[in-house]
Amino acid sequence: MNEIELLVEGRLADPHHLLGAHPRDGGVVVRAWRPTARAVVVRPESAPAVELELRHPAGLFEGFVPDADAPLRYELDVSYPDGKTFTMRDPYAFAPTLGELDLHLAGEGRHEELYERLGAHPRELDGVAGTAFAVWAPNARAVSVVGDFNGWDGRLNPMRSLGASGIWELFVPAVAAGDRYKYELKGPRGELLPLKADPYALAAEVPPATASRVYRSGHEWRDDDWLEERRAEEPFARPVSIYEVHLESWRRNPREDNRSLTYLELADELADYATDLGFTHVELLPVMHHPFPGSWGYQVTGYFAPSPRLGEPDDLRAFVDRLHGRGLGVILDWVPAHFPRDEWALARFDGTALYEHADPRRAAHPDWGTLVFNFGRNEVRNFLLSNALFWLREYHADGLRVDAVASMLYLDYSRGEGEWVPNEFGGNEDLDAVEFLRRFNELVHEREPGLISAAEESTAWPGVSRPTYLGGLGFGFKWNMGWMHDTLDYFQREPVHRRFHHHQLTFSLMYAFSENFVLPLSHDEVVHGKRSLLSKMPGDRWQQLANLRSLYAYMWAHPGKKLLFMGGELAQEREWDNAASLDWHLLEQAGHAGVQSLVRDLNRIYREEPALYELDFDPSGFLWLEPNDADANVLAFARLPSGKGRPVVCVCNLSPVPREAYRLGLPRAGPWRELLNTDSTFYGGSDVGNLGAIAADGPPWHEQPQSAELRLPPLGVVWLVPED
C-alpha cells in the first residue's frame, strides 16, 4: 500500500514525508491534505501563486512551483463548496519540534523537563505563531490532534511518528492558548480508540467536559526571597506545623449557590487565616485535575493541569505566590500510586497497557479499582519524575506529600494468595516502585534544596525517611500512622478504662526516632463513618472539648512535626463533607472558639520554644519524667533544646478529676511558669491550675534532682518552663 492510500485511510505514520513542500526538478512540489475542500491554492512568499490539482478525491491536492527552493515559505488558500475560503499556513511545512537529545533522554527516562517538550506548547516557528503538539503513544498505528481549530475532525491533522521513541508530534499554525483539543488514536490493530485527553496537558476543561486546553503562563513570580531562604535551610530543625486543606470545601460562598471559593479568593482568605493561627505550611489535598470531586483529588486524570473548578493555572500560581508572601509554605499531595480507568484519560492510552501493567495481577488496586503505574518502564518513570519537578518548579511548591506509599511498595498489597506475582527474588516487594521512589527523592532533593518530601506509609518498611545511600527510600519525612492510630484509640476510650491502655501513649517513644516523623491528624481520620475528632471523644460536650484540647497539647509537645486537617481547629462536630463548607458558625460558641484559640497559642509557643522542634528526631531532645502512672491517667515528659535554651515540660492528666498536690520531678530547681494550660477559661476550661507558677524546691523525684507539687486540671495538659 502506497503513502497516499495510507494517508487516506488515516494510517500514515509520517505524513510530512508526503505532504508539505519537497524539491523536485528545479522547483518544489507542494502537497496539501484538505478533506472536503473544493480547491487549494499555494501562495509562496517569493513566487507566483499556483493552484493545486486534486490528486486524490479524499482531499489530497498537489502542484508544482517552478524556480523555487526548499524549504519554501508559503500559505494555502483553501476553498470549500459552501463558497468560504480560508488562508492558512500548512502544518506540514515545519520541522520537528523535538530534537535528538530530547528523544534520547525521554527513551532513557532521564528528561527532567519533558513537560516542556510533550503536550501542547504555544510557540513561534519561522515567524509563524501556533502550537507544538507532542504525545507518547508507541503502539498506535496513527495519531491525529483534534480540537476547536479543526472541527474535531481526525482526518485533518495527522501527526508525525518520531520513530522508535514512540513520540508523535505536529506543529499546527494559528492554534492559540485557550483552544480545546484531544488526540485521536488508532490502536495497534488499526482500531479507532476513544478520544484521549493529553497526559501532559497544562490545562483542562471544567468537568464533566473532558478536553485538554492549550495554555501559556503569564504569571510573574514575586517570591524570590522566599525561595532563596528555603534553599538555605533544611526543614528538619525548624518548626513545621501543617494545616491540611481541601480547597473546594474549606469555605464556600452561601450567597452564590454555595460555590467553592476560587484560587484567587482563597489566596488572601486562607493566607490570613493560616497565618493568624500560626501554621508554617498549608498542605493541599491534590489540586491536580480530577473529574470526580468525590475522590478528593486522589484519582488524577490531568497530572500537569490544576483543577479547573477553582480557576486558571495562573490563578493557582498567584495563590502560592501570595501564601509565600505571607510566610507560609505550600505542600502539595502527589499521587503516583494509581490512576483511574476513565477511557478518555491514561487507561490503555494507545490501545495497550501503556502507563499501567499488562498483567492483571499487577495492573489494578483491589481497594480502589484504579490502575497501577508500571514503574519498570523508563517512559512512565520519566512521566512521573518530570511531573514532580513540574510542580516544584512551575508552581513553586515547597514540598510533595506522596500518597499511599505502602500500596506502591508491596506486590501483595490488599491481594490474596494467587492474586499477585512475586519479584525476581521471590519476595513481595515491588522492586521497580522502590527504585522509583528512591530516584524521586534523590532527584527532587538535589534539584530543589530545602523542600519537604513526605510519605504516607502505613507499614513498618525500614528507612522510609533515611537517605538512599544508607539503604533508605530517601524521604525527608514519614507520616507516623502508628502514633495516630494508638493515640486516637486511647483518647476515644472512657477515662475509667484508660489505665488499661496507658502505654498506647508511651509506646510511640519506642520508635519515635527511627524515622523523621510527622504526627498526622489528617482528613482520613474524619470521614467514612470515623466521625469528627470531637465526636470521637467520650463524655458530655464539656468533656469532649477538654479531651480534644488535651489531645492537641499532647500532640504539639510530642516529638515530630505537626499536621492538622481543616476543621480540627474548630472542633468540627460532624464528619468532613467534601461538598460542603466547614461549620464556621461553630466559632460563635465559646467552647469551639476556645479550641481555635488553643491551636493558635500552641503554634505560637511551638515556634517560640526551640526545645519543641530542634531535636524532633534525636533522642537527646526527649526525657520521660513520669511514663508509668496509669492508675492516675497521668504522664509527663520534657522536651530539651539543642543548646543552652530552656526545656519545656508537658504534664497530661487524662482523667476527668483534678489531681491535687501531684509531685513531679523536674530537671531544674527554681521557679517554673505555666506556659500553657488547656483548662484555662480562655480556652473553655474550668481554670484549674497553679496560678501561673510553681517552685521546684522539693526532694529528688522521678530520677530528677528537684521536684514540685502541681495541681493538675481534669482532662487537661499543662506546659511548664523554668522562669530563668
Side-chain angles (χ1 to χ4, degrees):
M1 184 177 291
N2 63 35
E3 287 187 316
I4 294 178
E5 292 172 330
L6 289 172
L7 175 68
V8 171
E9 294 186 7
R11 294 192 291 118
L12 183 59
D14 186 6
H16 292 71
H17 187 263
L18 174 65
L19 304 176
H22 302 273
R24 189 179 71 184
D25 301 332
V28 173
V29 64
V30 176
R31 300 187 191 93
W33 174 241
R34 301 308 297 173
T36 73
R38 178 181 58 81
V40 178
V41 174
V42 60
R43 296 188 180 278
E45 287 187 356
S46 56
V50 174
E51 183 169 356
L52 305 184
E53 297 180 359
L54 184 62
R55 175 77 180 273
H56 192 286
L60 178 64
F61 294 82
E62 180 180 309
F64 183 71
V65 181
D67 302 321
D69 297 317
L72 181 70
R73 292 177 60 88
Y74 62 92
E75 292 181 335
L76 298 174
D77 289 343
V78 184
S79 301
Y80 289 91
D82 61 2
K84 294 181 179 179
T85 298
F86 300 91
T87 299
M88 57 175 287
R89 296 299 295 256
D90 188 357
Y92 301 96
F94 298 91
T97 55
L98 286 86
E100 289 297 325
L101 181 59
D102 291 318
L103 302 181
H104 173 75
L105 292 175
E108 290 193 341
R110 297 190 299 113
H111 201 314
E112 297 177 10
E113 298 174 345
L114 193 56
Y115 54 85
E116 294 184 351
R117 298 293 182 266
L118 298 188
H121 299 280
R123 59 188 302 182
E124 189 174 290
L125 289 184
D126 297 332
V128 178
T131 295
F133 295 93
V135 63
W136 178 59
N139 301 303
R141 294 286 294 274
V143 182
S144 295
V145 59
V146 297
D148 294 328
F149 46 86
N150 62 12
W152 298 86
D153 188 338
R155 297 173 299 170
L156 291 177
N157 292 125
M159 302 177 75
R160 160 174 43 198
S161 170
L162 298 181
S165 70
I167 293 173
W168 301 72
E169 73 84 35
L170 183 67
F171 176 76
V172 184
V175 175
D179 285 350
R180 300 178 305 148
Y181 71 99
K182 281 189 176 183
Y183 296 113
E184 180 182 282
L185 298 91
K186 291 186 176 177
R189 296 181 302 277
E191 71 278 19
L192 190 64
L193 304 177
L195 293 182
K196 293 285 189 176
D198 187 352
Y200 285 84
L202 301 179
E205 280 190 293
V206 177
T210 58
S212 303
R213 293 172 51 232
V214 180
Y215 193 81
R216 169 182 279 165
S217 174
H219 181 73
E220 296 183 5
W221 289 95
R222 302 177 180 178
D223 61 352
D224 289 350
D225 291 343
W226 169 271
L227 295 180
E228 189 62 33
E229 181 180 344
R230 190 193 77 191
R231 294 186 189 103
E233 296 185 22
E234 291 290 346
F236 303 114
R238 293 187 314 191
V240 175
S241 180
I242 302 167
Y243 186 52
E244 189 188 28
V245 175
H246 177 254
L247 288 178
E248 292 188 47
S249 61
W250 180 69
R251 179 172 287 165
R252 290 178 174 243
N253 190 329
R255 294 185 299 275
E256 298 182 22
D257 297 325
N258 203 36
R259 68 165 179 84
S260 300
L261 301 186
T262 66
Y263 293 125
L264 294 180
E265 291 170 330
L266 286 161
D268 291 326
E269 291 200 29
L270 183 56
D272 287 345
Y273 183 75
T275 302
D276 174 63
L277 289 186
F279 288 98
T280 64
H281 293 76
V282 170
E283 179 174 321
L284 306 180
L285 271 63
V287 295
M288 299 77 186
H289 177 47
H290 53 283
F292 177 48
S295 78
W296 317 329
Y298 291 102
Q299 294 194 16
V300 177
T301 54
Y303 274 78
F304 292 83
S307 172
R309 294 183 181 90
L310 305 184
E312 291 291 297
D314 271 0
D315 295 342
L316 179 58
R317 288 181 171 93
F319 169 91
V320 175
D321 218 351
R322 290 190 201 174
L323 264 64
H324 284 173
R326 299 298 300 276
L328 285 164
V330 179
I331 301 169
L332 302 180
D333 273 13
W334 188 56
V335 193
H338 59 119
F339 61 94
R341 296 175 180 267
D342 300 79
E343 64 176 10
W344 51 267
L346 289 180
R348 296 190 66 83
F349 186 80
D350 63 357
T352 68
L354 189 63
Y355 287 89
E356 66 269 40
H357 289 275
D359 189 328
R361 294 171 295 178
R362 296 192 65 183
H365 274 305
D367 289 348
W368 308 313
T370 50
L371 300 175
V372 180
F373 281 107
N374 183 354
F375 300 109
R377 192 162 195 168
N378 287 345
E379 295 88 350
V380 174
R381 288 198 304 271
N382 205 155
F383 172 78
L384 292 169
L385 293 174
S386 66
N387 181 249
L389 291 174
F390 170 82
W391 291 102
L392 299 173
R393 291 171 173 172
E394 297 298 318
Y395 285 85
H396 290 202
D398 300 288
L400 297 173
R401 173 261 189 186
V402 182
D403 179 65
V405 169
S407 74
M408 301 169 67
L409 293 174
Y410 298 98
L411 295 166
D412 60 347
Y413 184 86
S414 288
R415 293 179 173 90
E417 186 176 353
E419 297 176 346
W420 59 283
V421 184
N423 62 34
E424 59 189 283
F425 303 107
N428 68 340
E429 303 88 358
D430 189 330
L431 302 180
D432 292 331
V434 171
E435 181 57 31
F436 165 77
L437 290 170
R438 287 173 173 165
R439 180 59 187 145
F440 156 76
N441 282 300
E442 290 171 349
L443 186 65
V444 298
H445 286 295
E446 178 182 350
R447 299 292 188 264
E448 302 295 328
L451 63 81
I452 288 173
S453 74
E456 183 206 21
E457 202 287 308
S458 55
T459 73
W461 186 282
V464 171
S465 61
R466 292 295 177 258
T468 57
Y469 62 80
L470 295 178
L473 294 181
F475 283 95
F477 299 96
K478 173 182 174 176
W479 276 22
N480 195 336
M481 310 297 282
W483 172 89
M484 176 274 299
H485 178 273
D486 289 345
T487 299
L488 290 181
D489 184 73
Y490 176 91
F491 271 88
Q492 289 180 81
R493 297 183 181 276
E494 293 286 348
V496 69
H497 301 303
R498 285 177 176 175
R499 69 179 66 186
F500 306 110
H501 301 271
H502 184 79
H503 290 293
Q504 285 184 250
L505 295 186
T506 64
F507 179 66
S508 62
L509 270 301
M510 298 294 291
Y511 60 88
F513 309 108
S514 62
E515 300 274 6
N516 301 334
F517 281 122
V518 173
L519 308 181
L521 293 177
S522 75
H523 64 280
D524 280 327
E525 310 318 314
V526 293
V527 290
H528 298 324
K530 296 179 183 177
R531 299 175 293 165
S532 70
L533 292 178
L534 179 69
S535 296
K536 294 178 195 289
M537 301 295 116
D540 59 22
R541 182 46 51 91
W542 189 94
Q543 290 181 337
Q544 286 182 313
L545 289 167
N547 269 301
L548 189 63
R549 295 193 301 267
S550 294
L551 168 62
Y552 291 164
Y554 163 72
M555 170 182 172
W556 255 257
H558 191 287
K561 308 308 181 185
K562 325 300 175 190
L563 180 141
L564 182 65
F565 183 58
M566 65 180 199
E569 80 285 5
L570 308 179
Q572 185 94 353
E573 295 176 344
R574 61 180 177 86
E575 276 192 349
W576 169 51
D577 179 358
N578 68 280
S581 174
L582 295 181
D583 293 331
W584 296 99
H585 63 275
L586 292 174
L587 293 177
E588 298 172 4
Q589 302 176 33
H592 293 271
V595 172
Q596 186 192 55
S597 295
L598 174 68
V599 171
R600 181 185 293 109
D601 283 351
L602 288 172
N603 277 326
R604 174 183 57 80
I605 298 170
Y606 171 63
R607 297 173 76 159
E608 291 173 352
E609 297 292 334
L612 292 175
Y613 61 80
E614 281 186 332
L615 297 176
D616 266 329
F617 314 124
D618 187 331
S620 67
F622 181 88
L623 176 66
W624 274 121
L625 299 176
E626 174 50 274
N628 296 315
D629 195 355
D631 288 341
N633 300 148
V634 171
L635 74 160
F637 56 86
R639 295 296 306 279
L640 308 175
S642 62
K644 296 181 179 180
R646 62 187 183 183
V648 176
V649 166
C650 174
V651 190
C652 308
N653 174 22
L654 302 176
S655 65
V657 296
R659 300 295 179 188
E660 304 288 348
Y662 190 92
R663 184 164 294 279
L664 180 71
L666 292 169
R668 292 190 189 180
W672 286 67
R673 178 166 57 90
E674 266 191 3
L675 194 59
L676 180 93
N677 184 339
T678 64
D679 195 48
S680 166
T681 53
F682 185 66
Y683 305 133
S686 55
D687 240 1
V688 174
N690 302 278
L691 300 178
I694 60 169
D697 54 6
W701 205 262
H702 293 143
E703 300 182 356
Q704 300 302 308
Q706 303 290 332
S707 64
E709 287 190 345
L710 280 70
R711 191 176 186 223
L712 302 182
L715 296 174
V717 174
V718 174
W719 287 3
L720 303 168
V721 291
E723 194 66 68
D724 183 3

